[in-house]
Amino acid sequence: MGTAVAMERHATMRTRSLALLASAALATVAAACSSDDNDSTNADNDTVATTVETTDGDSGSDNSTDDTELDERLDAAADALRAGDFSRMLDLLELSGISDEIEGREVTILAPTDEAFDALSSDELEDLATNPTKIDDIIKRHILDELLSYDELKELSEVTTMSDETLRVEVDGDEVRVGGALVTPPEDDAVSGEPGQEVAVFGIDTVLLESS
């Protein structure tokens, strides 16, 4: 990939990521408002929708998740994320261009649910929105640098992420936590981490903003 193309992709990622995070931040604020503020909330939501729609520069384009393609080797992961409650994680993966960095590597994606992103505080969202370089850091913190099945994960005491951070693995009965986040076994056999697969996808209930 040429330098100019890489710079253009990064600029696009920054713009769309900011729009996504701004939308999440306003949604969090709106949820805290009383029912008496419905008119104001609706106006805010209209503003967010306009911002997200126009940040790509082409007002006539369709920015839906289904029309954005990841690298072929991530198709199974994208399908699993799209089928579950992981739309925001899928958006960030597609914006980051992370498939270039995991080419030829077997990985396990820890995917926070949409509810986990909604649980971020307004300060945390603002921090991300004003520091767009943290987006790549967040994505890499949620990708383990090895392919693991759920049973294999349960046998470990720690795992290493693409950002070279170490996350603790804790098992308590039927519960498995990585970096403090509760892990959900994959429902899709295509991303279960079995031999021969390239990507595994596990759901988690917390966004890993820093190593644990």
Side-chain angles (χ1 to χ4, degrees), residues 132-149:
T133 56
K134 289 189 175 182
I135 300 299
D136 278 352
D137 293 338
I138 288 177
I139 292 297
K140 291 179 181 180
R141 188 174 293 120
H142 289 80
I143 299 181
L144 307 183
D145 201 16
E146 60 183 320
L147 182 75
L148 295 170
S149 68

mmCIF file of all heavy atoms in Angstrom, residues 132-149:
data_model
loop_
_atom_site.group_PDB
_atom_site.id
_atom_site.type_symbol
_atom_site.label_atom_id
_atom_site.label_comp_id
_atom_site.label_asym_id
_atom_site.label_seq_id
_atom_site.Cartn_x
_atom_site.Cartn_y
_atom_site.Cartn_z
ATOM 1 N N PRO A 132 -8.107 10.394 18.475
ATOM 2 C CA PRO A 132 -8.473 9.346 17.518
ATOM 3 C C PRO A 132 -7.409 8.282 17.313
ATOM 4 O O PRO A 132 -7.716 7.179 16.868
ATOM 5 C CB PRO A 132 -8.734 10.123 16.219
ATOM 6 C CG PRO A 132 -8.048 11.430 16.394
ATOM 7 C CD PRO A 132 -8.117 11.735 17.855
ATOM 8 N N THR A 133 -6.153 8.578 17.658
ATOM 9 C CA THR A 133 -5.120 7.553 17.521
ATOM 10 C C THR A 133 -5.349 6.396 18.486
ATOM 11 O O THR A 133 -4.787 5.316 18.310
ATOM 12 C CB THR A 133 -3.722 8.147 17.775
ATOM 13 O OG1 THR A 133 -3.696 8.775 19.060
ATOM 14 C CG2 THR A 133 -3.368 9.181 16.707
ATOM 15 N N LYS A 134 -6.180 6.639 19.504
ATOM 16 C CA LYS A 134 -6.469 5.566 20.463
ATOM 17 C C LYS A 134 -7.371 4.489 19.878
ATOM 18 O O LYS A 134 -7.487 3.401 20.445
ATOM 19 C CB LYS A 134 -7.123 6.146 21.724
ATOM 20 C CG LYS A 134 -6.165 6.954 22.591
ATOM 21 C CD LYS A 134 -6.804 7.320 23.919
ATOM 22 C CE LYS A 134 -5.798 8.020 24.821
ATOM 23 N NZ LYS A 134 -6.380 8.339 26.148
ATOM 24 N N ILE A 135 -8.031 4.797 18.744
ATOM 25 C CA ILE A 135 -8.919 3.817 18.137
ATOM 26 C C ILE A 135 -8.156 2.550 17.775
ATOM 27 O O ILE A 135 -8.578 1.432 18.087
ATOM 28 C CB ILE A 135 -9.619 4.390 16.890
ATOM 29 C CG1 ILE A 135 -10.463 5.611 17.257
ATOM 30 C CG2 ILE A 135 -10.482 3.328 16.214
ATOM 31 C CD1 ILE A 135 -11.560 5.326 18.236
ATOM 32 N N ASP A 136 -6.999 2.704 17.103
ATOM 33 C CA ASP A 136 -6.191 1.543 16.750
ATOM 34 C C ASP A 136 -5.730 0.794 17.990
ATOM 35 O O ASP A 136 -5.700 -0.440 18.012
ATOM 36 C CB ASP A 136 -4.976 1.963 15.920
ATOM 37 C CG ASP A 136 -5.310 2.142 14.451
ATOM 38 O OD1 ASP A 136 -6.446 1.783 14.055
ATOM 39 O OD2 ASP A 136 -4.458 2.636 13.691
ATOM 40 N N ASP A 137 -5.362 1.546 19.030
ATOM 41 C CA ASP A 137 -4.922 0.912 20.271
ATOM 42 C C ASP A 137 -6.037 0.056 20.866
ATOM 43 O O ASP A 137 -5.800 -1.054 21.350
ATOM 44 C CB ASP A 137 -4.496 1.970 21.298
ATOM 45 C CG ASP A 137 -3.248 2.718 20.866
ATOM 46 O OD1 ASP A 137 -2.488 2.173 20.042
ATOM 47 O OD2 ASP A 137 -3.037 3.842 21.347
ATOM 48 N N ILE A 138 -7.256 0.576 20.834
ATOM 49 C CA ILE A 138 -8.396 -0.160 21.379
ATOM 50 C C ILE A 138 -8.641 -1.435 20.584
ATOM 51 O O ILE A 138 -8.838 -2.518 21.145
ATOM 52 C CB ILE A 138 -9.656 0.717 21.391
ATOM 53 C CG1 ILE A 138 -9.542 1.786 22.475
ATOM 54 C CG2 ILE A 138 -10.916 -0.127 21.624
ATOM 55 C CD1 ILE A 138 -10.713 2.734 22.518
ATOM 56 N N ILE A 139 -8.629 -1.309 19.248
ATOM 57 C CA ILE A 139 -8.854 -2.483 18.411
ATOM 58 C C ILE A 139 -7.812 -3.558 18.704
ATOM 59 O O ILE A 139 -8.135 -4.739 18.907
ATOM 60 C CB ILE A 139 -8.813 -2.103 16.924
ATOM 61 C CG1 ILE A 139 -10.007 -1.225 16.546
ATOM 62 C CG2 ILE A 139 -8.810 -3.362 16.052
ATOM 63 C CD1 ILE A 139 -11.337 -1.894 16.713
ATOM 64 N N LYS A 140 -6.539 -3.162 18.764
ATOM 65 C CA LYS A 140 -5.471 -4.139 18.992
ATOM 66 C C LYS A 140 -5.566 -4.766 20.376
ATOM 67 O O LYS A 140 -5.162 -5.918 20.570
ATOM 68 C CB LYS A 140 -4.109 -3.470 18.805
ATOM 69 C CG LYS A 140 -3.820 -3.090 17.361
ATOM 70 C CD LYS A 140 -2.470 -2.399 17.230
ATOM 71 C CE LYS A 140 -2.202 -1.998 15.796
ATOM 72 N NZ LYS A 140 -0.895 -1.318 15.649
ATOM 73 N N ARG A 141 -6.089 -4.014 21.351
ATOM 74 C CA ARG A 141 -6.245 -4.565 22.698
ATOM 75 C C ARG A 141 -7.332 -5.639 22.740
ATOM 76 O O ARG A 141 -7.363 -6.455 23.658
ATOM 77 C CB ARG A 141 -6.576 -3.430 23.674
ATOM 78 C CG ARG A 141 -6.568 -3.858 25.134
ATOM 79 C CD ARG A 141 -6.752 -2.669 26.062
ATOM 80 N NE ARG A 141 -5.598 -1.791 25.989
ATOM 81 C CZ ARG A 141 -5.641 -0.514 25.620
ATOM 82 N NH1 ARG A 141 -6.803 0.040 25.282
ATOM 83 N NH2 ARG A 141 -4.555 0.208 25.591
ATOM 84 N N HIS A 142 -8.201 -5.639 21.749
ATOM 85 C CA HIS A 142 -9.286 -6.614 21.699
ATOM 86 C C HIS A 142 -8.998 -7.760 20.742
ATOM 87 O O HIS A 142 -9.898 -8.547 20.426
ATOM 88 C CB HIS A 142 -10.595 -5.920 21.307
ATOM 89 C CG HIS A 142 -11.147 -5.030 22.374
ATOM 90 N ND1 HIS A 142 -10.680 -3.763 22.595
ATOM 91 C CD2 HIS A 142 -12.117 -5.235 23.307
ATOM 92 C CE1 HIS A 142 -11.328 -3.218 23.599
ATOM 93 N NE2 HIS A 142 -12.209 -4.087 24.051
ATOM 94 N N ILE A 143 -7.760 -7.863 20.258
ATOM 95 C CA ILE A 143 -7.389 -8.961 19.365
ATOM 96 C C ILE A 143 -6.221 -9.713 19.976
ATOM 97 O O ILE A 143 -5.153 -9.143 20.212
ATOM 98 C CB ILE A 143 -7.014 -8.449 17.965
ATOM 99 C CG1 ILE A 143 -8.215 -7.732 17.335
ATOM 100 C CG2 ILE A 143 -6.563 -9.611 17.078
ATOM 101 C CD1 ILE A 143 -7.950 -7.199 15.942
ATOM 102 N N LEU A 144 -6.425 -10.995 20.253
ATOM 103 C CA LEU A 144 -5.376 -11.844 20.805
ATOM 104 C C LEU A 144 -4.531 -12.392 19.669
ATOM 105 O O LEU A 144 -5.047 -12.768 18.617
ATOM 106 C CB LEU A 144 -5.983 -12.997 21.602
ATOM 107 C CG LEU A 144 -6.991 -12.606 22.686
ATOM 108 C CD1 LEU A 144 -7.458 -13.850 23.433
ATOM 109 C CD2 LEU A 144 -6.392 -11.580 23.646
ATOM 110 N N ASP A 145 -3.234 -12.457 19.893
ATOM 111 C CA ASP A 145 -2.299 -12.832 18.841
ATOM 112 C C ASP A 145 -2.150 -14.348 18.722
ATOM 113 O O ASP A 145 -1.044 -14.872 18.603
ATOM 114 C CB ASP A 145 -0.947 -12.185 19.111
ATOM 115 C CG ASP A 145 -0.085 -12.083 17.857
ATOM 116 O OD1 ASP A 145 -0.646 -12.235 16.753
ATOM 117 O OD2 ASP A 145 1.119 -11.856 17.983
ATOM 118 N N GLU A 146 -3.280 -15.035 18.761
ATOM 119 C CA GLU A 146 -3.311 -16.486 18.559
ATOM 120 C C GLU A 146 -4.758 -16.925 18.399
ATOM 121 O O GLU A 146 -5.684 -16.233 18.843
ATOM 122 C CB GLU A 146 -2.671 -17.223 19.743
ATOM 123 C CG GLU A 146 -3.338 -16.965 21.075
ATOM 124 C CD GLU A 146 -2.632 -17.651 22.226
ATOM 125 O OE1 GLU A 146 -2.181 -18.817 22.045
ATOM 126 O OE2 GLU A 146 -2.517 -17.048 23.303
ATOM 127 N N LEU A 147 -4.950 -18.052 17.747
ATOM 128 C CA LEU A 147 -6.290 -18.609 17.574
ATOM 129 C C LEU A 147 -6.600 -19.520 18.749
ATOM 130 O O LEU A 147 -5.845 -20.455 19.037
ATOM 131 C CB LEU A 147 -6.363 -19.400 16.263
ATOM 132 C CG LEU A 147 -7.726 -20.011 15.934
ATOM 133 C CD1 LEU A 147 -8.683 -18.922 15.463
ATOM 134 C CD2 LEU A 147 -7.583 -21.080 14.860
ATOM 135 N N LEU A 148 -7.701 -19.242 19.429
ATOM 136 C CA LEU A 148 -8.071 -20.012 20.609
ATOM 137 C C LEU A 148 -9.522 -20.439 20.539
ATOM 138 O O LEU A 148 -10.391 -19.654 20.156
ATOM 139 C CB LEU A 148 -7.869 -19.191 21.883
ATOM 140 C CG LEU A 148 -6.444 -18.784 22.261
ATOM 141 C CD1 LEU A 148 -6.467 -17.780 23.405
ATOM 142 C CD2 LEU A 148 -5.612 -20.004 22.636
ATOM 143 N N SER A 149 -9.795 -21.659 20.940
ATOM 144 C CA SER A 149 -11.172 -22.076 21.176
ATOM 145 C C SER A 149 -11.532 -21.672 22.598
ATOM 146 O O SER A 149 -10.660 -21.310 23.404
ATOM 147 C CB SER A 149 -11.313 -23.593 21.009
ATOM 148 O OG SER A 149 -10.622 -24.272 22.053
#
